[in-house]
Amino acid sequence: MSEWLLTILILLPVVGGVAVALHPLAPYARTSHYKWIALIFSLATFALSLLLLNSDIGAGTTNAFHFVRNVPWVSSIGARYHVGVDGMSLWLVLLTTLLVPVSILSSWHSVEKRPAAFYAFILFLESAMIGVFVSLDLLLFYLFFEASLVPMFFLIGVWGGERRMYAAVKFFIYTAVGSLLMLAGIIWLYFLHASQVPGGGTFDYVTLLEALRSGAMSLTDGGQPTDVQFWLFVVFALAFSIKVPLFPVHTWLPDAHTEAPTAGSVILAGVLLKMGTYGLLRFNFAFFPEMTRKAAPFFVILAVIGIIYGALVAMVQPDVKRLVAYSSVSHMGFVVLGMFSFTEPGMQGALYQMLNHGVSTGALFLIVGMIYERRHTRMISDFGGLAKPMPLFATLFIFTSLSSVGLPLLNGFVGEFLIMLGMWTSTASVSRPWLVTMLAATGVIWAAVYMLWMLQRMLFGRVTSEKNARLSDLNAREIGLLVPLLVLMLYMGLHPRPFLARSATSIDEVRSRVVETGTFHADAPTELK
């Protein structure tokens, strides 16, 4: 059963999507059936994904993939169906399976146009996202990476806002161009392996990594990166940087978030952006450690710019959803900063912040969607005094916003603290890590400014209109949507050790790949309790 678990997790949403898509052909079909079928399949996928926790991932001293299934796929070119999960991908798979049923419930009463197609696309998207995080064959990874674009394109383009086609096309062009460059890099690696290692080319991640580690396959000449390694690093890094998105290739994100339906925004912020940072850790850090070290100052500078720029632009947004979108640019800058600190706290904090961002920002988009369903506007100036007619909404909105800001005892604080601690003690990426850390820390200050100012304008003061005064508070469905995420925010802030312990071995192996092949000696790793 264990070797089939990941395959079942990939295929179950596909089966659900097909069932939803074909259901209109049934004579007894009703609109309400679509969402129930989608919800049942998504909850079943989440329940099965919890079995991943019933393993010893992260318990050993050496990293190993679990729940592995490795069989020939396209034997003529050496492609294999190779899937597995480790401490780095475990929590991202669970985050995916959690947010999909939440997204489906968030659209329970808001999708009137082509509901069967809407829910089918969400389930197809879930399958592709899980596939990205468990693929251990580069060709298989690429296919899942590309497959995720199609459902999201339609979710934005069909069920989005007024400028939905502009946003959908922009999203698709940006991410598809990066993905095609990555495909060229994958093919390049395949032929490099074929030319240097007996037995021909391979797309297998583990095989390629072992060949690079053992020296059987080389991308260097005399210890210095060659043009081959440089360009391979560039094409992979560009594809993943667009997905993050890292400044300055971030411009597709605010438009996509603003125009996407609530479910699309939750999945986009919660999961799709993490495919970029996951890809950098999994492939760039592992395959091209020399270029990763040399490029670190460049990525650190872009990360700091993204942190400050995203926060400052968020501050002046009149649209609350666009404000949350730009906050994602700032928060994902912290993730990239932690990764390129090359320290254990920094890299652990980066992975933890990926989860934090998915939970907190996903909840923020849910809350924005709830108020939009009531008022059909997202302009901050159209609100005021909402705490009076909607006290429960205001309470949960404030709690979620404080989590996003990084209030101590909530999840955001743990991730940002570890990232800044790791960056401050870094001796591997930049010459003045203390200066970089101080500049990045201003992003926390700006986050408090734009979030608290937004809360003050929307929730407090006098009720600015009769429409606002008549608004109904959250119902049971909406509370049920938010409670699991709110509990996670508190639990992850108070007790991060279970999450960090599971990922420690995987992160340390990636870190050692970059550090030990270098000419410097990083500080001794800080033990995380």
Side-chain angles (χ1 to χ4, degrees), residues 66-80:
H66 296 251
F67 304 99
V68 174
R69 178 73 174 166
N70 187 4
V71 295
W73 176 30
V74 187
S75 300
S76 59
I77 59 173
R80 304 183 65 83

Side-chain angles (χ1 to χ4, degrees), residues 390-407:
M390 304 177 70
L392 184 56
F393 170 84
T395 301
L396 301 187
F397 197 179
I398 292 170
F399 188 96
T400 305
S401 299
L402 293 177
S403 167
S404 180
V405 168
L407 184 74

Side-chain angles (χ1 to χ4, degrees), residues 208-230:
L208 287 168
L209 188 57
E210 182 57 34
L212 289 168
R213 283 174 172 168
S214 65
M217 178 179 173
S218 177
L219 304 176
T220 62
D221 181 14
Q224 298 299 318
T226 64
D227 289 341
V228 172
Q229 185 174 180
F230 171 79

